Amino acid sequence: MKRMYKTKCLEFIQMINKWFLFSVMLLLISCEKDITVDLPKPDSRIVVDGYVEEGEPIYIILTRSEPYFSPITQNSLVNSVEKGATVTVSDGITTEELVEIDTVVNGITLRGIYFTPLMRGTFERKYTLNVHSTKGETVTASTYLSQPIPLDSIWFKVQDNHDTLGYVWAHLTDPDTLGNCYRWFAKRIGKDDDFIAPFGSSFEDKFINGQSFDFAYNRGSVDNSSAPDDNNEEEGFFKTGDTIVVKFCSVDRSVYEFWRDAETQVSNNGSPFASPSNIKGNVVGGLGLFAGYSAAFDTLIAR
């Protein structure tokens, strides 16, 4: 009799708990309310994407920043280019005004690209960029083209459990002067249209200053690539028979920090535990990067 009484009591308590939870859920559902958050609209700022390399003409791409949640459409991309600006570059000896040129992308004529064939990158010179927009804004940036620090050697090595796929290895002797920064690019002759930087392509000598060591890089790919070898078991690998050109660049610290921050943001994308941060650039009065790449080239055939 006592056992039956205890059983009835437990059943009654469980029933009360269920009804309590059900009531709480109803209360929460009835308290739901659509909330609209009015996000502040940031000021539109000029974005610089510019490069200087030894022996190469200088070009600058100018666009304007857009709010984070703005829809990205063909029209928004076309309208984001910064047209009609006055753009000059000085190497400390001469100053050249860049000419705005047209380029066609997917049948659409874009402007906002500024170019000069008269000034080419020269080692051991500082390059200063000045931009004056039609709205009266002024943007400046500078970068230094140092003497490149070349790799001692490069070679191809098949990775474990792969018959023909592997990475490119290199040996580097870092000079005994703290503060050297680097960025790695590679290109497969006949397969890649341009040099591609893999993820983690930029590094500094904080922990390797003055040391001589081996390191390796996987094969990078263009964002949203539809190439077969970027969407199968060959993704990220070089392959025996590839003719590979490695472009190893010495860069100033601002270039290293920009790409370090950009890649950190990409790797943290979607993580609720990641700390949001701004990507550092070297542009004053705007956003973006004006980068000097002091490149040394090596070629190998993957065997």
Side-chain angles (χ1 to χ4, degrees):
M1 191 72 178
K2 289 183 179 180
R3 183 177 297 175
M4 184 180 298
Y5 176 76
K6 289 181 179 179
T7 301
K8 292 293 183 181
C9 288
L10 288 173
E11 291 177 352
F12 180 75
I13 291 172
Q14 290 174 353
M15 183 182 67
I16 294 298
N17 286 338
K18 289 179 180 179
W19 276 106
F20 176 76
L21 292 174
F22 181 70
S23 300
V24 171
M25 291 175 63
L26 287 176
L27 180 63
L28 292 176
I29 292 173
S30 64
C31 291
E32 284 185 358
K33 181 180 179 181
D34 292 333
I35 299 175
T36 301
V37 179
D38 292 326
L39 297 174
K41 187 176 181 180
D43 294 333
S44 177
R45 305 178 68 185
I46 294 176
V47 181
V48 174
D49 182 13
Y51 301 90
V52 181
E53 292 189 34
E54 196 272 334
E56 297 294 330
I58 297 172
Y59 69 91
I60 308 292
I61 301 173
L62 298 180
T63 55
R64 282 203 169 265
S65 61
E66 294 285 339
Y68 185 82
F69 292 103
S70 293
I72 299 177
T73 64
Q74 195 173 65
N75 287 335
S76 68
L77 293 175
V78 171
N79 294 331
S80 69
V81 299
E82 181 64 16
K83 298 173 287 198
T86 301
V87 181
T88 61
V89 174
S90 172
D91 63 359
I93 300 174
T94 60
T95 300
E96 289 291 341
E97 182 173 343
L98 279 63
V99 178
E100 187 175 5
I101 60 175
D102 296 338
T103 186
V104 178
V105 178
N106 296 327
I108 299 175
T109 301
L110 297 178
R111 304 200 77 186
I113 301 175
Y114 298 81
F115 168 82
T116 175
L118 302 178
M119 179 181 290
R120 296 174 181 262
T122 303
F123 292 139
E124 298 183 350
R125 289 189 185 179
K126 180 180 179 180
Y127 290 83
T128 302
L129 169 70
N130 282 277
V131 177
H132 299 281
S133 75
T134 56
K135 297 181 180 180
E137 302 151 299
T138 298
V139 170
T140 62
S142 63
T143 190
Y144 182 70
L145 210 60
S146 63
Q147 284 288 346
I149 298 172
L151 297 166
D152 298 322
S153 59
I154 60 172
W155 65 95
F156 172 78
K157 182 179 178 181
V158 172
Q159 290 302 108
D160 296 337
N161 303 321
H162 292 83
D163 293 333
T164 61
L165 307 178
Y167 300 147
V168 173
W169 285 75
H171 188 85
L172 172 66
T173 300
D174 180 71
D176 191 17
T177 52
L178 187 63
N180 295 304
C181 300
Y182 307 97
R183 194 166 189 226
W184 170 289
F185 300 81
K187 175 181 180 180
R188 298 169 299 169
I189 300 299
K191 293 184 176 181
D192 299 324
D193 294 331
D194 203 352
F195 288 94
I196 303 172
F199 193 82
S201 61
S202 186
F203 63 97
E204 61 170 333
D205 67 349
K206 183 177 181 179
F207 301 107
I208 57 170
N209 182 46
Q211 298 184 32
S212 184
F213 60 96
D214 295 340
F215 64 101
Y217 268 110
N218 61 306
R219 178 175 64 83
S221 60
V222 178
D223 291 340
N224 302 315
S225 171
S226 59
D229 55 7
D230 288 330
N231 295 277
N232 59 21
E233 68 278 359
E234 296 184 18
E235 181 182 3
F237 291 101
F238 296 98
K239 189 175 182 178
T240 53
D242 285 343
T243 300
I244 306 163
V245 182
V246 172
K247 177 181 175 182
F248 189 65
C249 299
S250 300
V251 298
D252 61 30
R253 187 163 189 82
S254 64
V255 177
Y256 155 71
E257 290 180 341
F258 177 91
W259 289 111
R260 177 201 61 190
D261 293 348
E263 290 173 341
T264 298
Q265 290 284 38
V266 171
S267 64
N268 288 340
N269 184 32
S271 172
F273 305 106
S275 299
S277 61
N278 293 325
I279 299 175
K280 295 180 180 178
N282 61 356
V283 177
V284 179
L287 303 170
L289 182 68
F290 180 49
Y293 286 110
S294 300
F297 296 89
D298 293 279
T299 304
L300 66 85
I301 299 176
R303 301 186 187 280

